[in-house]
Amino acid sequence: MNNKIGLLVLLFGLALACQESPTTSEENTRPQEKTTERNNSDYYTEQHRPQFHFSPDSMWMNDPNGMFYYEGEYHLFYQYYPDSTVWGPMHWGHAVSEDMVYWEHLPIGLYPDELGYIFSGSAVVDKHNTSGFGTTENPPLIAIFTHHLMEGEKAGTTDFQYQSIAYSNDKGRTWTKYEGNPVVPNTNKIKDFRDPKVFWHAPSERWVMLFAAGDRILFYNSPDLKSWTYQSEFGLGWGNQARPWECPDLFELPIEGTNESKWAMLVSIGKEAANGGSGTQYFIGDFDGKNFTIDTNFGKAIGKNTNTARWLDWGKDNYAGVTWSDIPGSDGRRLFIGWMSNWQYAQIVPTEKWRSAMTIARTLSLRRTTEGLRVCSQPVKEMLQLRGAAKKLGAEATNYRLAEVLVEAKGDVAIELSNTKGEKVVLGYEAATNQYFIDRTESGKVDFSKDFPGKSIAKRATKGDGVKMQIFLDVSSVELFGDDGESVMTAIFFPNEDFSSIRLLGDGVETAQLFELKKTW
Ligand code: FRU
């Protein structure tokens, strides 16, 4: 190499290296990384790699973040540490999809900077350009997230978390952090002060921000996404008392079959959920743009300071889930995705190249059941495109790899997934207790955590004797939607050899159908 070329190569290399680890709050771009190689059959074939769930290309992922819909694309950001398969300095990884089923990986959206790591948060389309970061013709996209200053935490301070914003003018491909960050400083030095969810409240023509502050949720208002004013708080003493609360969300849902609507608030808790460890509870009430008031009946049902909660998902592996913003009114759905893991063992599950996946996307609805109002979750209808051949399902072993199973029964019913090594997962319904269950005690690799093996249960919200189950089986997870989404369970597993055999047990089965599913990578 002659000297001139050598120098050019060196300069080019240096330029690339600088772009790869931006440290200023202004710049947040990096050259296009590897994107999905959907047509390459060697892609995503590692053992345990989910075949129709979103997972990071490599390395560590936790909560879904900043989900919004814009110009035909569903955006999904996520807590991401690109240098390791365990949690570390948080970035926002990024992916887009036209249907929440097939995902394309995009370059990292947000990098840590001098204000800290980029913790969980949300994103909105600023249609009226209230922030002034774009124009009404090309509205800016605004991400609202928590900055977490590790140096502050290590030094023993309590004001190391605060809320900041960034904007994008190019369909979310690159983001610029606001120079006035943080937009909500931690003046009262509250140790847990994080996970902002922002939405436009049309009746009061104001932006609303809610985020978790230890044992409660705080509400703020803003006209422009930059200046925020404290309004109110909710939560002290309500629901499960395990703290800190994390990743709240708040949205209005119509009550099925009526002209009424209510507001549902999701709050995740890292420990002591329904079957141990992480889980997401919810509250039902009203919201006037400033205050959340819990519904009298809902409040009575869970009581104050009682540790009783309503669970969005009873399984051990659906955490920190939140909903998409800016879904067009013509669609009208409230769309949700959760992180398919649990802080009890998320960092030690037996995968090597990547860690964690998201649940399938779900549509949330509000239903009046005999036990009161319930937030129900059902698979998004876009999942139907994955259905392939239908197979008969019965007591005889049926081969499968990826499947959707539909079962209607009266009385006990169990579905057993197994492999040639005798490992299995059993799930189903027990009439005596009126509960759904997933038992992964003998599911293969279970020794990595004492909290992993075992049987999880989900109470039903009805006493009716006919049960209906819709079940999604990927190579390392199962999602069970009972009674049209009234009782939901999500669980991951790691057999030494993929499960390939499925059997139906129990005498109460009325109909049972299995659809092979296509992979999405
Ligand atoms: C939830 C959570 C959030 C936080 C993020 C950090 O899993 O603890 O509260 O913002 O993860 O990665």
Side-chain angles (χ1 to χ4, degrees), residues 62-63 79 87 90 119-120 194-195 246-247 319-320 339 343:
N62 55 293
D63 316 355
Q79 289 286 280
W87 191 91
M90 283 289 113
F119 269 24
S120 287
R194 60 174 177 270
D195 307 339
E246 299 183 320
C247 302
Y319 191 61
W339 174 45
W343 280 115

Side-chain angles (χ1 to χ4, degrees), residues 26 37 92 118 130 132 164 183 187 207 222 281 301 304 386 511:
E26 295 291 279
E37 299 156 25
W92 273 23
I118 313 298
T130 61
S164 292
V183 292
T187 325
W207 293 102
S222 170
Q281 58 178 328
K304 230 179 165 185
L386 297 184
T511 64

Side-chain angles (χ1 to χ4, degrees), residues 66-76 97-100 123-125 127 141 323-331 333 335 382:
M67 291 122 69
F68 65 93
Y69 178 84
Y70 186 61
E71 295 200 340
E73 291 178 326
Y74 294 89
H75 288 257
L76 169 64
S97 170
E98 288 171 9
D99 55 11
M100 298 169 286
V124 292
V125 180
K127 288 194 192 81
L141 309 169
T323 64
W324 263 276
S325 139
D326 293 280
I327 299 300
S330 54
D331 178 317
R333 287 179 296 174
L335 300 164
E382 287 83 347

Side-chain angles (χ1 to χ4, degrees), residues 405-422:
V405 173
L406 304 175
V407 178
E408 286 183 35
K410 281 208 169 103
D412 290 345
V413 52
I415 288 151
E416 186 191 85
L417 320 172
S418 62
N419 59 20
T420 63
K421 295 183 184 301

Side-chain angles (χ1 to χ4, degrees), residues 284 294-303 310 368 372-373:
I284 308 282
I294 195 164
D295 221 39
T296 318
N297 288 335
F298 193 88
K300 266 192 216 132
I302 62 167
R310 291 274 184 267
R368 193 161 266 140
L373 285 173

Side-chain angles (χ1 to χ4, degrees), residues 350-472:
T351 59
E352 273 154 31
K353 193 178 153 196
W354 84 100
R355 275 223 174 87
S356 309
M358 296 299 177
T359 64
I360 57 171
R362 302 170 182 191
T363 305
L364 302 186
S365 63
L366 195 56
R367 189 175 307 155
R368 193 161 266 140
T369 72
T370 48
E371 310 285 296
L373 285 173
R374 287 287 189 281
V375 176
C376 301
S377 310
Q378 286 176 289
V380 292
K381 62 176 189 299
E382 287 83 347
M383 290 298 291
L384 284 171
Q385 67 187 294
L386 297 184
R387 280 188 184 175
K391 281 187 175 181
K392 193 169 164 284
L393 186 61
E396 295 291 311
T398 302
N399 290 332
Y400 87 100
R401 180 165 154 72
L402 310 169
E404 181 188 341
V405 173
L406 304 175
V407 178
E408 286 183 35
K410 281 208 169 103
D412 290 345
V413 52
I415 288 151
E416 186 191 85
L417 320 172
S418 62
N419 59 20
T420 63
K421 295 183 184 301
E423 297 164 349
K424 62 183 180 184
V425 164
V426 187
L427 60 139
Y429 168 71
E430 271 167 8
T433 53
N434 199 29
Q435 289 174 351
Y436 292 103
F437 67 92
I438 300 179
D439 189 344
R440 62 181 177 195
T441 312
E442 297 172 56
S443 58
K445 298 170 191 163
V446 297
D447 294 344
F448 55 88
S449 161
K450 66 170 179 29
D451 296 312
F452 188 79
K455 180 176 173 178
S456 294
I457 59 102
K459 294 202 172 107
R460 285 179 84 206
T462 169
K463 295 192 173 69
D465 62 351
V467 297
K468 199 170 164 190
M469 296 189 285
Q470 182 176 13
I471 298 159
F472 284 82

Side-chain angles (χ1 to χ4, degrees), residues 90-234:
M90 283 289 113
H91 300 54
W92 273 23
H94 190 194
V96 287
S97 170
E98 288 171 9
D99 55 11
M100 298 169 286
V101 175
Y102 291 94
W103 290 98
E104 181 188 352
H105 288 287
L106 290 181
I108 289 171
L110 293 168
Y111 286 80
D113 58 48
E114 65 278 3
L115 289 177
Y117 298 175
I118 313 298
F119 269 24
S120 287
S122 52
V124 292
V125 180
D126 182 12
K127 288 194 192 81
H128 307 298
N129 190 30
T130 61
S131 63
F133 290 135
T135 60
T136 34
E137 295 75 51
N138 185 25
L141 309 169
I142 314 289
I144 309 95
F145 55 90
T146 299
H147 260 124
H148 175 104
L149 190 64
M150 210 38 157
E151 293 81 352
E153 182 181 8
K154 284 193 178 138
T157 65
T158 56
D159 55 357
F160 53 84
Q161 295 185 339
Y162 27 81
Q163 324 315 329
S164 292
I165 61 175
Y167 60 90
S168 168
N169 303 115
D170 59 358
K171 296 185 75 183
R173 272 29 184 202
T174 60
W175 296 81
T176 306
K177 295 192 189 113
Y178 174 46
E179 74 248 351
N181 280 339
V183 292
V184 181
N186 194 341
T187 325
N188 293 329
K189 300 186 192 300
I190 300 172
K191 186 163 158 282
D192 297 295
F193 196 73
R194 60 174 177 270
D195 307 339
K197 173 73 183 195
V198 169
F199 62 92
W200 178 252
H201 187 253
S204 57
E205 298 195 326
R206 281 283 181 277
W207 293 102
V208 174
M209 182 194 292
L210 60 153
F211 60 86
D215 54 3
R216 64 198 78 180
I217 302 298
L218 306 184
F219 288 91
Y220 286 68
N221 279 171
S222 170
D224 59 6
L225 294 156
K226 295 184 283 199
S227 65
W228 292 93
T229 314
Y230 171 79
Q231 299 299 334
S232 68
E233 62 172 59
F234 167 79

